[in-house]
Amino acid sequence: MQQLLDTAEKIRTMEIRGAGRIAEAASAALRDYVLNLKVTNIKDFNKKVDEAANILIQTRPTAVSLPNAVQITKRHVSDDVPGAREEIIHNADIFLKQAGEALEKMGKIGAKRIKDGDVIMTHCNSHAALSVISTAFKQGKDISVIATESRPRRQGLLTIRELNDYGIPTTLIVDSAVRYSMKEVDTVIVGADAITVNGALVNKVGTSQLAHAAHEARKNVLSVAETFKFSPNTILGDMIDIEERSADEVIDQEILAEMPNVKVKNPAFDITPAEYIDIIITEVGAFPPQMAYTIIKEHLGWELTNIG
Ligand code: RUB
């Protein structure tokens, strides 16, 4: 259990971050947990697995990839412990393999939407978005990137390092310079923490204003999202919970304490409506956001009738 708790803590504190990476870490943690789980009856086994799954799911509320990965990993039909254990280990191994392959496939599909000479704007630090950008660059396309800082956690600094290491010409801007810089941009490429059934994109706070500015300037907006980032529960009317993080990330607590009339709000994500998104690049193809229901139905295997 300690190992699983360590992973949960790393996800909570964002040592492991990004919707894809937290999904992979949770799936691997659950696999390693059942590997060492010393119970002999299936009822106890299932109870322990559910407890462990809940610990992982509760670490961060917004990225749907996390509960999806946990569900995909823990489901089993065996009613004996060795069989159930084997199924969960197998599920995790397949999930991790497919997640790695998805990044590559999305890179190839998305790169077709990038032309020679394009200027791309990206936000935060998305491995999926970077896969598309780096694939286009490796194909020899002469591209450059404008990357936002992404306050308050400044994930943009991770992005510019990665882009620099690829050799891609990159400009760092502060988040408030997005609209001013949009005139230079051809395509906006961002990742996703969740895609809802009506095709809305939930991603790092600031994504919606970036998409709004792109829409106003008639620039394309691509979101790159593995199918496991689509949210089945939104079919049931559930809303995506937007993570509210600590004020410490925005302002020093001592300074804040000097101003009793001031409070801080720090939402980590926001919601971009489907009409601001041109296409969603998944590992199974490029789709308009309006096709989100089909993706959920066909690729997550969940329909209205079988969601718990
Ligand atoms: C990260 C973020 C990323 C998505 C997609 O937020 O919003 O755009 O998670 O990332 P945080 P990826 O830093 O708060 O986790 O494409 O790597 O899955």
Side-chain angles (χ1 to χ4, degrees), residues 14 17-21 60 123-129 155 191-193 203-204 224 226 229 268-269:
M14 293 177 60
R17 49 147 300 282
R21 295 286 154 98
R60 291 194 77 188
H123 185 52
C124 192
N125 177 254
S126 158
H127 302 93
Q155 290 92 330
D193 278 82
N203 193 47
K204 180 55 54 195
V224 194
E226 299 88 330
K229 290 175 183 164
F269 300 96

mmCIF file of all heavy atoms in Angstrom, residues 14 17-21 60 123-129 155 191-193 203-204 224 226 229 268-269, ligand 1:
data_model
loop_
_atom_site.group_PDB
_atom_site.id
_atom_site.type_symbol
_atom_site.label_atom_id
_atom_site.label_comp_id
_atom_site.label_asym_id
_atom_site.label_seq_id
_atom_site.Cartn_x
_atom_site.Cartn_y
_atom_site.Cartn_z
ATOM 1 N N MET A 14 1.508 17.210 -7.751
ATOM 2 C CA MET A 14 1.855 17.503 -9.142
ATOM 3 C C MET A 14 3.303 17.189 -9.505
ATOM 4 O O MET A 14 3.829 17.710 -10.484
ATOM 5 C CB MET A 14 1.497 18.956 -9.518
ATOM 6 C CG MET A 14 0.004 19.195 -9.512
ATOM 7 S SD MET A 14 -0.492 20.893 -9.860
ATOM 8 C CE MET A 14 0.157 21.191 -11.491
ATOM 9 N N ARG A 17 2.281 14.912 -13.275
ATOM 10 C CA ARG A 17 1.183 15.784 -13.709
ATOM 11 C C ARG A 17 0.956 15.627 -15.219
ATOM 12 O O ARG A 17 1.742 15.003 -15.914
ATOM 13 C CB ARG A 17 1.440 17.245 -13.322
ATOM 14 C CG ARG A 17 2.832 17.766 -13.695
ATOM 15 C CD ARG A 17 2.839 19.209 -14.046
ATOM 16 N NE ARG A 17 1.986 19.468 -15.181
ATOM 17 C CZ ARG A 17 2.318 19.215 -16.450
ATOM 18 N NH1 ARG A 17 3.500 18.685 -16.765
ATOM 19 N NH2 ARG A 17 1.479 19.483 -17.430
ATOM 20 N N GLY A 18 -0.165 16.260 -15.652
ATOM 21 C CA GLY A 18 -0.571 16.078 -17.043
ATOM 22 C C GLY A 18 -1.520 14.884 -17.075
ATOM 23 O O GLY A 18 -1.239 13.840 -16.460
ATOM 24 N N ALA A 19 -2.650 15.058 -17.777
ATOM 25 C CA ALA A 19 -3.712 14.049 -17.708
ATOM 26 C C ALA A 19 -3.257 12.645 -18.137
ATOM 27 O O ALA A 19 -3.669 11.644 -17.542
ATOM 28 C CB ALA A 19 -4.878 14.504 -18.578
ATOM 29 N N GLY A 20 -2.415 12.582 -19.154
ATOM 30 C CA GLY A 20 -1.951 11.278 -19.628
ATOM 31 C C GLY A 20 -1.034 10.608 -18.619
ATOM 32 O O GLY A 20 -1.192 9.423 -18.286
ATOM 33 N N ARG A 21 -0.095 11.390 -18.090
ATOM 34 C CA ARG A 21 0.892 10.820 -17.147
ATOM 35 C C ARG A 21 0.238 10.364 -15.851
ATOM 36 O O ARG A 21 0.628 9.339 -15.282
ATOM 37 C CB ARG A 21 1.988 11.853 -16.834
ATOM 38 C CG ARG A 21 2.833 12.228 -18.036
ATOM 39 C CD ARG A 21 3.804 11.112 -18.413
ATOM 40 N NE ARG A 21 4.150 11.170 -19.832
ATOM 41 C CZ ARG A 21 5.233 11.725 -20.337
ATOM 42 N NH1 ARG A 21 6.116 12.265 -19.545
ATOM 43 N NH2 ARG A 21 5.460 11.717 -21.631
ATOM 44 N N ARG A 60 -6.765 14.036 -7.801
ATOM 45 C CA ARG A 60 -7.051 15.265 -8.563
ATOM 46 C C ARG A 60 -8.421 15.087 -9.225
ATOM 47 O O ARG A 60 -8.678 14.037 -9.827
ATOM 48 C CB ARG A 60 -5.951 15.547 -9.605
ATOM 49 C CG ARG A 60 -4.629 15.951 -8.941
ATOM 50 C CD ARG A 60 -3.666 16.558 -9.942
ATOM 51 N NE ARG A 60 -4.011 17.936 -10.274
ATOM 52 C CZ ARG A 60 -3.403 18.620 -11.245
ATOM 53 N NH1 ARG A 60 -2.455 18.044 -11.975
ATOM 54 N NH2 ARG A 60 -3.741 19.865 -11.498
ATOM 55 N N HIS A 123 -0.420 25.917 -24.990
ATOM 56 C CA HIS A 123 -0.663 26.392 -23.627
ATOM 57 C C HIS A 123 -0.326 25.275 -22.656
ATOM 58 O O HIS A 123 -0.580 24.102 -22.943
ATOM 59 C CB HIS A 123 -2.139 26.779 -23.507
ATOM 60 C CG HIS A 123 -2.530 27.396 -22.195
ATOM 61 N ND1 HIS A 123 -1.861 28.473 -21.638
ATOM 62 C CD2 HIS A 123 -3.539 27.113 -21.335
ATOM 63 C CE1 HIS A 123 -2.448 28.816 -20.503
ATOM 64 N NE2 HIS A 123 -3.453 27.994 -20.286
ATOM 65 N N CYS A 124 0.218 25.642 -21.503
ATOM 66 C CA CYS A 124 0.560 24.676 -20.453
ATOM 67 C C CYS A 124 1.606 23.681 -20.961
ATOM 68 O O CYS A 124 2.457 24.032 -21.783
ATOM 69 C CB CYS A 124 -0.699 23.972 -19.947
ATOM 70 S SG CYS A 124 -0.438 23.035 -18.426
ATOM 71 N N ASN A 125 1.536 22.454 -20.501
ATOM 72 C CA ASN A 125 2.500 21.437 -20.929
ATOM 73 C C ASN A 125 1.733 20.158 -21.191
ATOM 74 O O ASN A 125 1.339 19.454 -20.265
ATOM 75 C CB ASN A 125 3.566 21.216 -19.841
ATOM 76 C CG ASN A 125 4.544 20.115 -20.197
ATOM 77 O OD1 ASN A 125 4.499 19.021 -19.645
ATOM 78 N ND2 ASN A 125 5.413 20.379 -21.137
ATOM 79 N N SER A 126 1.482 19.912 -22.474
ATOM 80 C CA SER A 126 0.735 18.721 -22.865
ATOM 81 C C SER A 126 1.630 17.813 -23.695
ATOM 82 O O SER A 126 2.139 18.219 -24.747
ATOM 83 C CB SER A 126 -0.487 19.123 -23.684
ATOM 84 O OG SER A 126 -0.923 18.044 -24.474
ATOM 85 N N HIS A 127 1.797 16.574 -23.214
ATOM 86 C CA HIS A 127 2.611 15.617 -23.963
ATOM 87 C C HIS A 127 1.945 15.284 -25.287
ATOM 88 O O HIS A 127 2.622 15.030 -26.282
ATOM 89 C CB HIS A 127 2.831 14.358 -23.131
ATOM 90 C CG HIS A 127 3.502 14.664 -21.827
ATOM 91 N ND1 HIS A 127 2.798 14.904 -20.671
ATOM 92 C CD2 HIS A 127 4.813 14.821 -21.518
ATOM 93 C CE1 HIS A 127 3.647 15.180 -19.699
ATOM 94 N NE2 HIS A 127 4.880 15.141 -20.184
ATOM 95 N N ALA A 128 0.599 15.311 -25.294
ATOM 96 C CA ALA A 128 -0.133 14.994 -26.517
ATOM 97 C C ALA A 128 0.074 16.097 -27.558
ATOM 98 O O ALA A 128 0.379 15.816 -28.723
ATOM 99 C CB ALA A 128 -1.617 14.821 -26.188
ATOM 100 N N ALA A 129 -0.070 17.348 -27.120
ATOM 101 C CA ALA A 129 0.152 18.464 -28.046
ATOM 102 C C ALA A 129 1.602 18.464 -28.535
ATOM 103 O O ALA A 129 1.874 18.656 -29.730
ATOM 104 C CB ALA A 129 -0.176 19.789 -27.359
ATOM 105 N N GLN A 155 3.820 25.744 -16.077
ATOM 106 C CA GLN A 155 4.151 24.528 -16.833
ATOM 107 C C GLN A 155 4.731 24.865 -18.207
ATOM 108 O O GLN A 155 5.365 24.025 -18.848
ATOM 109 C CB GLN A 155 2.894 23.653 -17.021
ATOM 110 C CG GLN A 155 2.382 22.997 -15.768
ATOM 111 C CD GLN A 155 1.325 23.837 -15.068
ATOM 112 O OE1 GLN A 155 1.342 25.059 -15.143
ATOM 113 N NE2 GLN A 155 0.420 23.193 -14.370
ATOM 114 N N GLY A 191 -3.669 20.354 -25.268
ATOM 115 C CA GLY A 191 -4.048 19.013 -24.817
ATOM 116 C C GLY A 191 -5.461 19.031 -24.260
ATOM 117 O O GLY A 191 -6.274 19.895 -24.595
ATOM 118 N N ALA A 192 -5.759 18.066 -23.392
ATOM 119 C CA ALA A 192 -7.092 17.982 -22.778
ATOM 120 C C ALA A 192 -6.997 17.222 -21.468
ATOM 121 O O ALA A 192 -6.270 16.234 -21.365
ATOM 122 C CB ALA A 192 -8.059 17.255 -23.705
ATOM 123 N N ASP A 193 -7.747 17.698 -20.492
ATOM 124 C CA ASP A 193 -7.926 16.928 -19.255
ATOM 125 C C ASP A 193 -9.219 16.143 -19.317
ATOM 126 O O ASP A 193 -9.355 15.097 -18.689
ATOM 127 C CB ASP A 193 -7.912 17.854 -18.038
ATOM 128 C CG ASP A 193 -6.482 18.157 -17.645
ATOM 129 O OD1 ASP A 193 -5.888 19.047 -18.268
ATOM 130 O OD2 ASP A 193 -5.953 17.442 -16.774
ATOM 131 N N ASN A 203 -9.436 21.963 -19.994
ATOM 132 C CA ASN A 203 -7.964 21.963 -20.035
ATOM 133 C C ASN A 203 -7.455 23.089 -19.147
ATOM 134 O O ASN A 203 -8.239 23.825 -18.535
ATOM 135 C CB ASN A 203 -7.493 22.127 -21.488
ATOM 136 C CG ASN A 203 -6.018 21.825 -21.660
ATOM 137 O OD1 ASN A 203 -5.510 20.810 -21.165
ATOM 138 N ND2 ASN A 203 -5.298 22.687 -22.339
ATOM 139 N N LYS A 204 -6.144 23.207 -19.059
ATOM 140 C CA LYS A 204 -5.520 24.197 -18.172
ATOM 141 C C LYS A 204 -6.194 25.570 -18.272
ATOM 142 O O LYS A 204 -6.482 26.025 -19.379
ATOM 143 C CB LYS A 204 -4.021 24.302 -18.532
ATOM 144 C CG LYS A 204 -3.218 25.279 -17.719
ATOM 145 C CD LYS A 204 -3.295 25.041 -16.221
ATOM 146 C CE LYS A 204 -2.943 23.633 -15.807
ATOM 147 N NZ LYS A 204 -3.345 23.310 -14.409
ATOM 148 N N VAL A 224 -5.617 17.836 -28.663
ATOM 149 C CA VAL A 224 -5.065 16.488 -28.853
ATOM 150 C C VAL A 224 -5.393 15.685 -27.595
ATOM 151 O O VAL A 224 -4.957 16.042 -26.496
ATOM 152 C CB VAL A 224 -3.534 16.539 -29.089
ATOM 153 C CG1 VAL A 224 -3.040 15.204 -29.618
ATOM 154 C CG2 VAL A 224 -3.176 17.665 -30.045
ATOM 155 N N GLU A 226 -6.260 11.610 -26.093
ATOM 156 C CA GLU A 226 -6.494 10.180 -26.211
ATOM 157 C C GLU A 226 -7.968 9.897 -25.900
ATOM 158 O O GLU A 226 -8.599 10.637 -25.144
ATOM 159 C CB GLU A 226 -5.632 9.397 -25.211
ATOM 160 C CG GLU A 226 -4.126 9.551 -25.382
ATOM 161 C CD GLU A 226 -3.546 10.737 -24.608
ATOM 162 O OE1 GLU A 226 -4.260 11.752 -24.409
ATOM 163 O OE2 GLU A 226 -2.369 10.648 -24.209
ATOM 164 N N LYS A 229 -9.551 10.259 -22.475
ATOM 165 C CA LYS A 229 -9.797 11.567 -21.849
ATOM 166 C C LYS A 229 -11.239 12.045 -22.082
ATOM 167 O O LYS A 229 -11.593 13.156 -21.704
ATOM 168 C CB LYS A 229 -8.785 12.591 -22.351
ATOM 169 C CG LYS A 229 -7.382 12.299 -21.819
ATOM 170 C CD LYS A 229 -6.344 13.208 -22.379
ATOM 171 C CE LYS A 229 -4.964 12.823 -21.872
ATOM 172 N NZ LYS A 229 -3.892 13.433 -22.672
ATOM 173 N N ALA A 268 -7.762 25.605 -11.510
ATOM 174 C CA ALA A 268 -6.648 25.068 -12.302
ATOM 175 C C ALA A 268 -7.038 24.793 -13.759
ATOM 176 O O ALA A 268 -6.168 24.609 -14.607
ATOM 177 C CB ALA A 268 -6.123 23.791 -11.653
ATOM 178 N N PHE A 269 -8.327 24.739 -14.036
ATOM 179 C CA PHE A 269 -8.782 24.388 -15.390
ATOM 180 C C PHE A 269 -9.945 25.289 -15.793
ATOM 181 O O PHE A 269 -10.547 25.945 -14.941
ATOM 182 C CB PHE A 269 -9.229 22.907 -15.426
ATOM 183 C CG PHE A 269 -8.109 21.983 -15.045
ATOM 184 C CD1 PHE A 269 -7.979 21.523 -13.740
ATOM 185 C CD2 PHE A 269 -7.151 21.602 -15.971
ATOM 186 C CE1 PHE A 269 -6.919 20.700 -13.370
ATOM 187 C CE2 PHE A 269 -6.090 20.781 -15.611
ATOM 188 C CZ PHE A 269 -5.972 20.323 -14.306
HETATM 189 C C1 RUB B 1 -1.945 19.908 -17.426
HETATM 190 C C2 RUB B 1 -2.818 20.265 -18.589
HETATM 191 C C3 RUB B 1 -2.538 19.557 -19.885
HETATM 192 C C4 RUB B 1 -3.432 18.309 -19.974
HETATM 193 C C5 RUB B 1 -2.997 17.385 -21.100
HETATM 194 O O1 RUB B 1 -2.426 20.405 -16.205
HETATM 195 O O2 RUB B 1 -3.767 21.016 -18.484
HETATM 196 O O3 RUB B 1 -2.843 20.382 -20.975
HETATM 197 O O4 RUB B 1 -3.374 17.591 -18.764
HETATM 198 O O5 RUB B 1 -1.701 16.926 -20.839
HETATM 199 P P1 RUB B 1 -1.599 20.093 -14.854
HETATM 200 P P2 RUB B 1 -1.139 15.584 -21.528
HETATM 201 O O6 RUB B 1 -0.219 20.587 -15.053
HETATM 202 O O7 RUB B 1 -2.370 20.846 -13.811
HETATM 203 O O8 RUB B 1 -1.656 18.604 -14.633
HETATM 204 O O9 RUB B 1 -1.306 15.804 -23.011
HETATM 205 O O10 RUB B 1 0.289 15.527 -21.101
HETATM 206 O O11 RUB B 1 -1.948 14.445 -21.046
#
